[in-house]
Structure formats: structure tokens, C-alpha cells
Amino acid sequence: FEAIRPGLRRIYSEGRRQMRAAGRRSSVLEMHEWRKSAKQLRYAAEALTPAGEGNGAKRMRRLARQAERLGETLGEEHDLAMLAATVRRSKRLFKGEQKSRKALLKSIEMTDKGAIRMELGFPPVAGKTFYLVPSLDSEKHVIWKCYAGDVSPRYLPPRCRN
């Protein structure tokens, strides 16, 4: 393991560098590079996982699972960004349906913020949506912000009507 430690450390350090770059610039390209680093780490951890159930094997399997989850999450972010870019530049695809196009872009934007999309199922707002977005207050407690989506504010929960 000592012989391969520097290579694994290099892969991990590169991933950390890509994470910081993505945090500073938050571009699709930076996120994609971070995802590639996460995948490299996953593959390296899987390849280096020794057989058996010892501590080293458990640590490497856990590292591989965590890198896989990170890669999947970053992949979903990339897919959303590409979808949003396609919708923005393809106005002709939505000819006569600009309201639907704007609603789709709003949904993508809210999903990108970590929002929970709430679709209402009761008349008169059946099929309409609003969004709940989590954030942290100064004491690190989760607070929820509401965004109306395509629902009239009078049908939203009282705390969302401001």
C-alpha cells in the first residue's frame, strides 16, 4: 500500500482542487472536471480494495461508495445545467408555448437550488406547483423559503405569503 499511497493522495488532492475551483467559478466545465476527479477516485479505490473484511478493505469500499455518490450528484447537476442551456437557446422548440418554457426554466432553477417541488392536487390549483428551498440561518438551523411557482399566493401556506 505504501507504494501506491502517493498516487491515491494525488488523485484525492486533484479532486479537492477541482472542488475549490467549482466553488469559486461554479461553471458547468468546472463541475464536470470535479465529477471526473470523483470518478477517478472511485475507480482507484475500487481497484485498490483488498479482498476480505479488514479495516483497509472497509475504508476503501467506503471511499469508493462516497466518490460514486459524489460523481452521481455532480452528474445530475451537469444534466440540469445542460437541459437549462438547451431550453434557453431553443426558443423555437417552444413556439407558442413560452409560458411552458418559462415554467420549465423556473423548475430547473429551483431544482438547482436544492428546492423541493410541491405539486398541489386539490381544486382549484390541481397540477400547480410551488417550491420549498432549504437554507441555514445564522445559528445553523434549517429554514425553508417558499417560492410561488405558478400558484396564486392565496393558496400557499400562510408562512409563504409574504
Side-chain angles (χ1 to χ4, degrees):
F1 188 75
E2 290 305 316
I4 57 175
R5 185 186 306 262
L8 192 57
R9 189 168 279 150
R10 181 191 54 75
I11 292 169
Y12 187 83
S13 295
E14 177 64 17
R16 299 276 301 177
R17 190 181 70 69
Q18 294 295 344
M19 178 188 70
R20 287 189 299 273
R24 283 191 305 272
R25 290 186 279 287
S26 191
S27 73
V28 173
L29 179 61
E30 298 295 340
M31 297 296 274
H32 183 64
E33 291 300 317
W34 184 16
R35 178 178 183 226
K36 288 183 351 188
S37 293
K39 288 176 92 171
Q40 285 181 336
L41 181 61
R42 171 192 168 197
Y43 298 145
E46 287 174 346
L48 297 173
T49 300
E53 294 299 319
N55 274 346
K58 287 180 182 178
R59 271 191 287 172
M60 293 306 275
R61 275 195 293 272
R62 184 172 53 241
L63 178 62
R65 278 193 313 270
Q66 290 170 340
E68 180 179 22
R69 280 195 303 267
L70 175 60
E72 287 173 358
T73 300
L74 293 171
E76 290 170 5
E77 290 290 323
H78 182 263
D79 292 348
L80 274 176
M82 298 310 293
L83 175 61
T86 300
V87 171
R88 280 189 196 99
R89 83 173 163 263
S90 303
K91 292 181 181 179
R92 288 188 322 160
L93 289 176
F94 291 87
K95 188 174 182 180
E97 293 293 331
Q98 291 308 308
K99 189 173 181 182
S100 297
R101 180 176 168 273
K102 287 179 181 178
L104 178 57
L105 284 170
K106 180 69 171 179
S107 183
I108 293 168
E109 173 193 336
M110 298 309 293
T111 301
D112 197 37
K113 290 181 180 180
I116 297 172
R117 182 176 183 264
M118 307 294 291
E119 186 166 323
L120 302 169
F122 56 87
V125 290
K128 303 272 187 190
T129 57
F130 74 97
Y131 303 90
L132 297 173
V133 180
S135 61
L136 296 176
D137 66 12
S138 61
E139 296 174 6
K140 305 290 184 206
H141 297 113
V142 175
I143 55 173
W144 294 89
K145 294 181 181 173
C146 303
Y147 293 88
D150 57 358
V151 177
S152 170
R154 72 179 189 201
Y155 295 112
L156 291 174
R159 291 183 65 197
C160 296
R161 293 181 191 160
N162 48 3

